[in-house]
Amino acid sequence: MSAKIKEKIDSSVEGKLKSLYQLQLIDSKIDRLRTVRGELPLEVSDLEDTVAGLETRLTNVTDEVNELNNQVSEKKQAIKDFQANIKKYESQQGKVRNNREYDAITKEIEFQNLEIQLAEKRMKEASAALILKNELLEKSKIEFEERSKDLKIKKAELDEIIAETEKEEKELLVESEKASEGIEDRLLNAYKRIRSNTRNGLAVVAVERDACGGCYNKIPPQRQLDIRTNKKIIVCEHCGRILVDGMLIPDAGVEN
């Protein structure tokens, strides 16, 4: 292999490393902007789920209260109807022609009285359940209102932070997209995979004080020499991050 061809290959590897490192620097800036939002997006999401759940519970409890109210009203009306029937049968008792008709009407009156007793029992049960459901309804309303207020406040906080960082983030996302275009798919996919598997989103790190800039494990001298030559892509044997020479991009550094 001629020196000219070899130099071209080495330059190509160095170019790939520079592109990857540059992309990492941009993506790290995006990460830092998103870190400013902290846990707010998760808090807002959790609150939205909580409020939605409370709203459903509020609807269900309201339906149950309405149903119990209907039951109480129905039993009250039923009692009135049974009492009206008793009066009707009692007026008929004075017009009977024999004992058999009298006994039949008497049994009807007794049956209507039993129906009244059963309706009163059901009405008391519904009324007792109604007291508990109304208490639950009131608590549900208060909790729904409180969580809704919390959600409104958190959303306002998040919107404010997003508004402050949105423009810069959009610009950086465009830069990231442009930087990605110059990287071959195989390397870009490897970069994204490593990045997604690290806590701080660092896939490409510089050697700092003879150690990996990602996991801080020491790197052997010979391996450091290989990294400085930029002739091949080298990964940390401890954390799997791509290692580059800190001087590859002057005055650049990836923050942890």
PDB file of all heavy atoms in Angstrom, residues 207-211 218-229 234 245:
ATOM      1  N   VAL A 207      -9.728  11.705  25.741  1.00  0.00           N
ATOM      2  CA  VAL A 207      -8.859  11.170  26.792  1.00  0.00           C
ATOM      3  C   VAL A 207      -8.422  12.331  27.671  1.00  0.00           C
ATOM      4  O   VAL A 207      -7.875  13.329  27.183  1.00  0.00           O
ATOM      5  CB  VAL A 207      -7.624  10.468  26.182  1.00  0.00           C
ATOM      6  CG1 VAL A 207      -6.688   9.989  27.284  1.00  0.00           C
ATOM      7  CG2 VAL A 207      -8.064   9.311  25.303  1.00  0.00           C
ATOM      8  N   GLU A 208      -8.675  12.183  28.964  1.00  0.00           N
ATOM      9  CA  GLU A 208      -8.343  13.246  29.910  1.00  0.00           C
ATOM     10  C   GLU A 208      -7.495  12.684  31.039  1.00  0.00           C
ATOM     11  O   GLU A 208      -7.901  11.750  31.722  1.00  0.00           O
ATOM     12  CB  GLU A 208      -9.627  13.867  30.489  1.00  0.00           C
ATOM     13  CG  GLU A 208     -10.548  14.478  29.439  1.00  0.00           C
ATOM     14  CD  GLU A 208     -11.877  14.903  30.024  1.00  0.00           C
ATOM     15  OE1 GLU A 208     -12.108  14.630  31.223  1.00  0.00           O
ATOM     16  OE2 GLU A 208     -12.690  15.494  29.287  1.00  0.00           O
ATOM     17  N   ARG A 209      -6.286  13.241  31.204  1.00  0.00           N
ATOM     18  CA  ARG A 209      -5.365  12.790  32.265  1.00  0.00           C
ATOM     19  C   ARG A 209      -5.149  11.283  32.206  1.00  0.00           C
ATOM     20  O   ARG A 209      -5.269  10.581  33.221  1.00  0.00           O
ATOM     21  CB  ARG A 209      -5.898  13.202  33.642  1.00  0.00           C
ATOM     22  CG  ARG A 209      -5.996  14.717  33.812  1.00  0.00           C
ATOM     23  CD  ARG A 209      -6.417  15.080  35.197  1.00  0.00           C
ATOM     24  NE  ARG A 209      -6.576  16.535  35.296  1.00  0.00           N
ATOM     25  CZ  ARG A 209      -7.616  17.119  35.859  1.00  0.00           C
ATOM     26  NH1 ARG A 209      -8.588  16.400  36.361  1.00  0.00           N
ATOM     27  NH2 ARG A 209      -7.694  18.440  35.920  1.00  0.00           N
ATOM     28  N   ASP A 210      -4.899  10.821  31.007  1.00  0.00           N
ATOM     29  CA  ASP A 210      -4.594   9.405  30.757  1.00  0.00           C
ATOM     30  C   ASP A 210      -5.770   8.474  31.051  1.00  0.00           C
ATOM     31  O   ASP A 210      -5.584   7.275  31.272  1.00  0.00           O
ATOM     32  CB  ASP A 210      -3.383   8.937  31.594  1.00  0.00           C
ATOM     33  CG  ASP A 210      -2.145   9.771  31.310  1.00  0.00           C
ATOM     34  OD1 ASP A 210      -1.993  10.210  30.155  1.00  0.00           O
ATOM     35  OD2 ASP A 210      -1.347   9.979  32.243  1.00  0.00           O
ATOM     36  N   ALA A 211      -6.975   9.029  31.099  1.00  0.00           N
ATOM     37  CA  ALA A 211      -8.150   8.199  31.407  1.00  0.00           C
ATOM     38  C   ALA A 211      -9.285   8.492  30.435  1.00  0.00           C
ATOM     39  O   ALA A 211      -9.328   9.541  29.785  1.00  0.00           O
ATOM     40  CB  ALA A 211      -8.613   8.448  32.838  1.00  0.00           C
ATOM     41  N   LYS A 218      -8.285   4.208  33.606  1.00  0.00           N
ATOM     42  CA  LYS A 218      -6.999   4.493  32.988  1.00  0.00           C
ATOM     43  C   LYS A 218      -6.871   3.792  31.634  1.00  0.00           C
ATOM     44  O   LYS A 218      -7.346   2.664  31.448  1.00  0.00           O
ATOM     45  CB  LYS A 218      -5.862   4.022  33.898  1.00  0.00           C
ATOM     46  CG  LYS A 218      -5.658   4.896  35.142  1.00  0.00           C
ATOM     47  CD  LYS A 218      -5.117   6.275  34.750  1.00  0.00           C
ATOM     48  CE  LYS A 218      -4.876   7.146  35.982  1.00  0.00           C
ATOM     49  NZ  LYS A 218      -4.388   8.501  35.604  1.00  0.00           N
ATOM     50  N   ILE A 219      -6.194   4.479  30.698  1.00  0.00           N
ATOM     51  CA  ILE A 219      -5.969   3.928  29.363  1.00  0.00           C
ATOM     52  C   ILE A 219      -4.474   3.660  29.218  1.00  0.00           C
ATOM     53  O   ILE A 219      -3.652   4.553  29.490  1.00  0.00           O
ATOM     54  CB  ILE A 219      -6.437   4.914  28.277  1.00  0.00           C
ATOM     55  CG1 ILE A 219      -7.938   5.190  28.438  1.00  0.00           C
ATOM     56  CG2 ILE A 219      -6.145   4.373  26.881  1.00  0.00           C
ATOM     57  CD1 ILE A 219      -8.460   6.298  27.554  1.00  0.00           C
ATOM     58  N   PRO A 220      -4.085   2.455  28.801  1.00  0.00           N
ATOM     59  CA  PRO A 220      -2.660   2.127  28.649  1.00  0.00           C
ATOM     60  C   PRO A 220      -1.957   3.086  27.689  1.00  0.00           C
ATOM     61  O   PRO A 220      -2.564   3.574  26.732  1.00  0.00           O
ATOM     62  CB  PRO A 220      -2.688   0.705  28.066  1.00  0.00           C
ATOM     63  CG  PRO A 220      -4.018   0.155  28.485  1.00  0.00           C
ATOM     64  CD  PRO A 220      -4.956   1.324  28.473  1.00  0.00           C
ATOM     65  N   PRO A 221      -0.671   3.378  27.929  1.00  0.00           N
ATOM     66  CA  PRO A 221       0.095   4.315  27.101  1.00  0.00           C
ATOM     67  C   PRO A 221       0.051   3.995  25.606  1.00  0.00           C
ATOM     68  O   PRO A 221      -0.105   4.894  24.785  1.00  0.00           O
ATOM     69  CB  PRO A 221       1.518   4.198  27.653  1.00  0.00           C
ATOM     70  CG  PRO A 221       1.314   3.801  29.078  1.00  0.00           C
ATOM     71  CD  PRO A 221       0.125   2.884  29.075  1.00  0.00           C
ATOM     72  N   GLN A 222       0.206   2.713  25.264  1.00  0.00           N
ATOM     73  CA  GLN A 222       0.202   2.338  23.853  1.00  0.00           C
ATOM     74  C   GLN A 222      -1.143   2.654  23.206  1.00  0.00           C
ATOM     75  O   GLN A 222      -1.212   3.120  22.069  1.00  0.00           O
ATOM     76  CB  GLN A 222       0.520   0.848  23.704  1.00  0.00           C
ATOM     77  CG  GLN A 222       0.589   0.363  22.246  1.00  0.00           C
ATOM     78  CD  GLN A 222       1.600   1.137  21.420  1.00  0.00           C
ATOM     79  OE1 GLN A 222       2.744   1.328  21.842  1.00  0.00           O
ATOM     80  NE2 GLN A 222       1.197   1.617  20.242  1.00  0.00           N
ATOM     81  N   ARG A 223      -2.217   2.401  23.950  1.00  0.00           N
ATOM     82  CA  ARG A 223      -3.548   2.675  23.423  1.00  0.00           C
ATOM     83  C   ARG A 223      -3.746   4.187  23.262  1.00  0.00           C
ATOM     84  O   ARG A 223      -4.401   4.638  22.317  1.00  0.00           O
ATOM     85  CB  ARG A 223      -4.610   2.099  24.369  1.00  0.00           C
ATOM     86  CG  ARG A 223      -5.967   1.856  23.717  1.00  0.00           C
ATOM     87  CD  ARG A 223      -6.815   0.913  24.570  1.00  0.00           C
ATOM     88  NE  ARG A 223      -8.094   0.617  23.957  1.00  0.00           N
ATOM     89  CZ  ARG A 223      -8.288  -0.259  22.978  1.00  0.00           C
ATOM     90  NH1 ARG A 223      -7.235  -0.911  22.469  1.00  0.00           N
ATOM     91  NH2 ARG A 223      -9.492  -0.481  22.478  1.00  0.00           N
ATOM     92  N   GLN A 224      -3.197   4.957  24.186  1.00  0.00           N
ATOM     93  CA  GLN A 224      -3.281   6.417  24.062  1.00  0.00           C
ATOM     94  C   GLN A 224      -2.560   6.896  22.817  1.00  0.00           C
ATOM     95  O   GLN A 224      -3.029   7.819  22.128  1.00  0.00           O
ATOM     96  CB  GLN A 224      -2.658   7.090  25.295  1.00  0.00           C
ATOM     97  CG  GLN A 224      -3.465   6.923  26.579  1.00  0.00           C
ATOM     98  CD  GLN A 224      -2.885   7.724  27.718  1.00  0.00           C
ATOM     99  OE1 GLN A 224      -2.635   8.921  27.566  1.00  0.00           O
ATOM    100  NE2 GLN A 224      -2.656   7.083  28.857  1.00  0.00           N
ATOM    101  N   LEU A 225      -1.430   6.252  22.519  1.00  0.00           N
ATOM    102  CA  LEU A 225      -0.670   6.604  21.322  1.00  0.00           C
ATOM    103  C   LEU A 225      -1.492   6.327  20.071  1.00  0.00           C
ATOM    104  O   LEU A 225      -1.538   7.139  19.140  1.00  0.00           O
ATOM    105  CB  LEU A 225       0.645   5.814  21.288  1.00  0.00           C
ATOM    106  CG  LEU A 225       1.566   6.095  20.094  1.00  0.00           C
ATOM    107  CD1 LEU A 225       1.987   7.561  20.067  1.00  0.00           C
ATOM    108  CD2 LEU A 225       2.795   5.184  20.150  1.00  0.00           C
ATOM    109  N   ASP A 226      -2.196   5.169  20.077  1.00  0.00           N
ATOM    110  CA  ASP A 226      -3.041   4.805  18.931  1.00  0.00           C
ATOM    111  C   ASP A 226      -4.164   5.830  18.765  1.00  0.00           C
ATOM    112  O   ASP A 226      -4.540   6.178  17.647  1.00  0.00           O
ATOM    113  CB  ASP A 226      -3.642   3.413  19.150  1.00  0.00           C
ATOM    114  CG  ASP A 226      -2.592   2.317  19.077  1.00  0.00           C
ATOM    115  OD1 ASP A 226      -1.527   2.556  18.477  1.00  0.00           O
ATOM    116  OD2 ASP A 226      -2.840   1.221  19.628  1.00  0.00           O
ATOM    117  N   ILE A 227      -4.687   6.299  19.876  1.00  0.00           N
ATOM    118  CA  ILE A 227      -5.786   7.283  19.824  1.00  0.00           C
ATOM    119  C   ILE A 227      -5.287   8.595  19.243  1.00  0.00           C
ATOM    120  O   ILE A 227      -5.963   9.217  18.425  1.00  0.00           O
ATOM    121  CB  ILE A 227      -6.381   7.497  21.237  1.00  0.00           C
ATOM    122  CG1 ILE A 227      -7.091   6.222  21.713  1.00  0.00           C
ATOM    123  CG2 ILE A 227      -7.371   8.675  21.247  1.00  0.00           C
ATOM    124  CD1 ILE A 227      -7.435   6.218  23.191  1.00  0.00           C
ATOM    125  N   ARG A 228      -4.076   9.011  19.651  1.00  0.00           N
ATOM    126  CA  ARG A 228      -3.537  10.288  19.181  1.00  0.00           C
ATOM    127  C   ARG A 228      -3.225  10.284  17.689  1.00  0.00           C
ATOM    128  O   ARG A 228      -3.282  11.326  17.038  1.00  0.00           O
ATOM    129  CB  ARG A 228      -2.272  10.649  19.979  1.00  0.00           C
ATOM    130  CG  ARG A 228      -2.563  11.214  21.362  1.00  0.00           C
ATOM    131  CD  ARG A 228      -1.338  11.903  21.937  1.00  0.00           C
ATOM    132  NE  ARG A 228      -0.266  10.956  22.216  1.00  0.00           N
ATOM    133  CZ  ARG A 228      -0.120  10.309  23.366  1.00  0.00           C
ATOM    134  NH1 ARG A 228      -1.004  10.493  24.346  1.00  0.00           N
ATOM    135  NH2 ARG A 228       0.874   9.471  23.547  1.00  0.00           N
ATOM    136  N   THR A 229      -2.939   9.107  17.150  1.00  0.00           N
ATOM    137  CA  THR A 229      -2.603   9.037  15.723  1.00  0.00           C
ATOM    138  C   THR A 229      -3.837   9.143  14.835  1.00  0.00           C
ATOM    139  O   THR A 229      -3.721   9.405  13.642  1.00  0.00           O
ATOM    140  CB  THR A 229      -1.873   7.715  15.410  1.00  0.00           C
ATOM    141  OG1 THR A 229      -2.715   6.614  15.765  1.00  0.00           O
ATOM    142  CG2 THR A 229      -0.550   7.635  16.156  1.00  0.00           C
ATOM    143  N   ILE A 234     -11.218   3.744  18.042  1.00  0.00           N
ATOM    144  CA  ILE A 234     -10.939   2.947  19.242  1.00  0.00           C
ATOM    145  C   ILE A 234     -12.006   3.224  20.298  1.00  0.00           C
ATOM    146  O   ILE A 234     -12.376   4.386  20.523  1.00  0.00           O
ATOM    147  CB  ILE A 234      -9.547   3.278  19.803  1.00  0.00           C
ATOM    148  CG1 ILE A 234      -8.473   2.918  18.758  1.00  0.00           C
ATOM    149  CG2 ILE A 234      -9.296   2.550  21.122  1.00  0.00           C
ATOM    150  CD1 ILE A 234      -7.073   3.366  19.149  1.00  0.00           C
ATOM    151  N   ASP A 245      -8.723  11.918  20.621  1.00  0.00           N
ATOM    152  CA  ASP A 245      -7.692  12.793  21.166  1.00  0.00           C
ATOM    153  C   ASP A 245      -8.332  14.132  21.513  1.00  0.00           C
ATOM    154  O   ASP A 245      -9.096  14.692  20.712  1.00  0.00           O
ATOM    155  CB  ASP A 245      -6.591  12.980  20.123  1.00  0.00           C
ATOM    156  CG  ASP A 245      -5.484  13.892  20.611  1.00  0.00           C
ATOM    157  OD1 ASP A 245      -5.402  14.133  21.826  1.00  0.00           O
ATOM    158  OD2 ASP A 245      -4.709  14.367  19.761  1.00  0.00           O
TER     159      ASP A 245
END
